[in-house]
């Protein structure tokens, strides 16, 4: 299937968190009360890109080894009026996937998009098995510009934006273009 057909027909998007939604860097600190604090950086435009995709009816899954701060961000996404009203499907989040990511992705895809290709967006070694499975099933693998070399061989599309710095938004705009949709016409929340 060619790229445009993939962008026009897929119904499910699987996203890695670190290196795709977040920029892959984290800051760790300890407060005076000896509480560990972790912060990660993301681009607001990527959240808007996810909203565009949700408005198109595309189901979103984060599949990652991490939990916070992703879980609280997903909770916020699912509290948007368009989700609470049922207009958008909730964003799903599988965390703690240190191994078995490919099996989890396959199970999710067979539940939501059995007759349609999915798209998997990842950036590093932990994504290789899921990318290999995704590509072998005729689905599309997408990587951000700064993805590591071990995943490049699976990519059907390499974006010009870096992970955590607009890659998801760039992809969402490509999907809108392929489907003939002006993103200004989409509900945003």
């Amino acid at each position: 299937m060619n790229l445009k057909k993939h962008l026009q027909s897929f119904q499910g998007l699987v996203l890695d968190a670190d290196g795709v939604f977040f920029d892959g860097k984290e800051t760790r600190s300890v407060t005076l009360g000896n509480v560990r604090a972790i912060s990660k950086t993301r681009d607001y435009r990527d959240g808007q890109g996810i909203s565009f995709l949700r408005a198109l009816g595309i189901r979103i899954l984060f599949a990652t080894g991490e939990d916070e701060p992703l879980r609280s961000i997903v909770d916020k996404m699912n509290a948007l009026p368009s989700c609470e009203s049922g207009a958008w499907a909730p964003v799903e989040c599988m965390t703690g996937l240190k191994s078995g990511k490919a099996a989890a992705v396959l199970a999710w895809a067979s539940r939501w998009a059995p007759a349609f290709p999915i798209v998997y967006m990842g950036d590093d070694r932990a994504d290789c098995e899921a990318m290999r499975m995704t590509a072998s099933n005729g689905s599309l693998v997408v990587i951000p510009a700064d993805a590591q070399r071990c995943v490049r061989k699976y990519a059907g599309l390499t974006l010009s934006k870096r992970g955590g710095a607009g890659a998801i938004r760039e992809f969402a705009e490509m999907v809108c273009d392929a489907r003939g949709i002006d993103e200004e016409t989409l509900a945003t929340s």
Side-chain angles (χ1 to χ4, degrees):
M1 184 180 299
N2 71 31
L3 179 60
K4 185 172 183 179
K5 292 251 189 245
H6 272 290
L7 297 177
Q8 291 171 332
S9 65
F10 81 97
Q11 296 296 311
L13 173 63
V14 180
L15 296 168
D16 182 34
D18 288 327
V20 174
F21 185 65
F22 298 112
D23 68 4
K25 300 173 187 158
E26 72 178 29
T27 302
R28 292 178 177 254
S29 57
V30 178
T31 66
L32 290 175
N34 210 23
V35 175
R36 182 180 59 144
I38 300 172
S39 68
K40 297 182 181 200
T41 304
R42 71 178 188 95
D43 192 318
Y44 178 80
R45 295 171 293 184
D46 286 331
Q48 188 67 61
I50 289 172
S51 291
F52 292 165
L53 296 168
R54 293 173 79 191
L56 293 172
I58 295 167
R59 293 193 172 269
I60 309 290
L61 168 69
F62 281 101
T64 183
E66 302 296 320
D67 189 32
E68 286 298 342
L70 180 63
R71 175 76 59 191
S72 59
I73 293 170
V74 168
D75 289 347
K76 183 178 174 183
M77 290 176 178
N78 289 337
L80 292 171
S82 293
C83 189
E84 288 187 336
S85 72
W88 294 356
V91 172
E92 295 183 63
C93 190
M94 291 182 186
T95 59
L97 298 174
K98 301 298 183 193
S99 64
K101 188 185 254 191
V105 168
L106 183 61
W108 179 83
S110 66
R111 186 174 49 147
W112 292 118
F116 297 97
I118 65 165
V119 171
Y120 185 97
M121 189 183 301
D123 75 308
D124 207 344
R125 173 67 183 93
D127 301 305
C128 284
E129 183 184 3
M131 287 179 163
R132 186 172 33 258
M133 179 270 311
T134 300
S136 70
N137 287 340
S139 290
L140 180 64
V141 172
V142 177
I143 61 173
D146 58 340
Q148 300 307 302
R149 71 180 188 170
C150 60
V151 299
R152 292 189 177 274
K153 62 186 166 196
Y154 303 113
L157 173 63
T158 301
L159 300 167
S160 66
K161 302 282 187 191
R162 298 170 58 89
I168 297 170
R169 175 64 176 264
E170 177 185 359
F171 177 71
E173 290 174 352
M174 292 174 79
V175 173
C176 287
D177 290 347
R179 296 180 183 201
I181 304 290
D182 179 348
E183 58 264 27
E184 283 188 59
T185 65
L186 296 172
T188 58
S189 62

